[in-house]
């Protein structure tokens, strides 16, 4: 298969960038999108030209580091990660536009590589439990209803790739944060920090500059893990309950003067 690629090139963060055209030929239909870029880079390296910088790690759809916008869709057209997108998904001879994730909170480092550390800081603000290591308690001593366990695990599969942020017109991280809060707040191990988690993670989102949710739903549409918008409802409920809990339980009575 042969393709024409329009790839975003940017030498370093803060500099202007532009699209550059490349022709790639004899691409196997079963090659992944990243393998196609590898093939391009091998040729550029052989020609003593600057290779295209892009992120990748596991290449198994687990880490989510392969953050590309392909033809306007975060990760590509099939709602899977970029490493799970295959060239057979495109028409032979097509022109494919490749960009980095676009958001003020995910600045471009170089070419297709973005800095997603803002998401890490949201996790550090509350996406953890204080359960100590050591001998584990008998599992049956902490019963979890199957429906609750299923809801928590559905949220736990969020890989934190940031596609939800890139797709949202507001650059919101509500789906990502909602998934983390839903996962931890539903399980017994997450109860000690239940209220502080919701408050701290929402405050950190605001501090990082992520936008607010206005119910576009693009985040869930592009999520490679198919995280439901329900986690945003859960995040809103948890935040409101925690915010009310911060008020004094017995406010002083007003006294007539």
């Amino acid at each position: 298969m042969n393709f024409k690629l329009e790839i975003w090139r940017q030498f370093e963060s803060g500099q202007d960038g532009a699209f550059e055209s490349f022709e790639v030929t004899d691409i196997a239909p079963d090659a992944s999108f990243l393998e196609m870029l590898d093939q391009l880079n091998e040729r550029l390296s052989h020609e003593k030209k600057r290779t295209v910088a892009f992120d990748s790690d596991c290449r198994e759809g687990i880490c989510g580091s392969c953050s590309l916008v392909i033809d306007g869709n975060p990760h590509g057209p099939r709602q899977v990660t970029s490493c799970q997108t295959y060239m057979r998904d495109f028409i032979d001879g097509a022109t494919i536009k490749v960009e980095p994730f676009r958001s003020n909170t995910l600045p471009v480092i170089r070419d297709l590589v973005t800095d997603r550390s803002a998401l890490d800081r949201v996790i550090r603000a509350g996406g953890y439990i204080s359960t100590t290591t050591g001998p584990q308690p008998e599992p049956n001593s902490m019963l979890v209803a199957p429906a609750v366990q299923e809801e928590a695990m559905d949220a736990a599969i969020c890989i934190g790739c940031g596609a939800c942020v890139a797709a949202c017109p507001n650059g919101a991280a509500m789906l990502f944060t909602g998934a983390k809060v839903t996962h931890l707040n539903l399980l017994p191990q997450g109860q000690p920090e239940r209220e502080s988690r919701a408050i701290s993670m929402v405050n950190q989102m605001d501090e990082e500059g992520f936008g607010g949710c206005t119910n576009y739903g693009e985040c869930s549409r592009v999520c490679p893990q198919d995280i439901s918008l329900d986690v945003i409802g859960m995040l809103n409920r948890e935040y409101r309950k925690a915010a009310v809990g911060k008020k004094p339980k017995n406010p002083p009575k007003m006294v007539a003067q």
Side-chain angles (χ1 to χ4, degrees), residues 216-235:
Y216 281 101
E218 286 297 294
C219 52
S220 183
R221 183 186 69 80
V222 303
C223 175
Q225 299 299 88
D226 204 20
I227 301 293
S228 167
L229 289 173
D230 291 345
V231 301
I232 296 179
M234 173 81 175
L235 174 61

Side-chain angles (χ1 to χ4, degrees), residues 3-178:
F3 301 98
K4 179 181 179 182
L5 305 176
E6 298 285 343
I7 300 179
W8 182 260
R9 307 303 305 271
Q10 185 171 331
F11 191 72
E12 62 181 29
S13 183
Q15 287 193 346
D16 292 336
F19 286 99
E20 186 175 352
S21 299
F22 299 93
E23 302 278 351
V24 289
T25 58
D26 297 328
I27 303 296
D30 291 335
S32 73
F33 203 86
L34 300 189
E35 289 171 334
M36 181 273 295
L37 291 177
D38 287 339
Q39 190 169 326
L40 169 63
N41 274 343
E42 189 173 339
R43 192 189 82 204
L44 292 175
S45 180
H46 181 73
E47 296 171 352
K48 309 296 184 188
K49 296 179 180 177
R50 186 166 75 85
T51 56
V52 178
F54 64 94
D55 255 336
S56 70
D57 190 2
C58 73
R59 300 199 177 203
E60 293 179 344
I62 299 172
C63 73
S65 63
C66 49
S67 50
L68 305 175
V69 174
I70 304 171
D71 282 344
N73 294 294
H75 285 310
R78 290 185 49 244
Q79 201 181 353
V80 294
T81 56
S82 303
C83 64
Q84 294 176 306
T85 299
Y86 295 93
M87 300 316 297
R88 60 175 178 264
D89 299 328
F90 302 88
I91 299 172
D92 189 16
T95 297
I96 305 173
K97 181 171 284 190
V98 192
E99 305 169 75
F101 279 2
R102 300 290 192 185
S103 174
N104 290 335
T105 52
L106 308 175
V108 174
I109 297 174
R110 184 167 182 163
D111 293 342
L112 305 174
V113 180
T114 56
D115 180 359
R116 295 180 298 156
S117 56
L119 298 175
D120 297 334
R121 290 190 288 273
V122 173
I123 288 291
R124 285 204 297 269
Y128 54 83
I129 59 175
S130 58
T131 303
T132 57
T133 59
Q136 300 302 306
E138 163 60 38
N140 290 330
S141 66
M142 292 192 298
L143 300 179
V144 180
V148 174
Q149 181 269 344
E150 186 173 348
E151 187 178 358
M153 293 301 103
D154 284 347
I157 60 175
C158 169
I159 57 177
C161 64
C164 52
V165 178
C168 177
N170 299 329
M174 293 285 284
L175 195 75
F176 163 77
T177 307

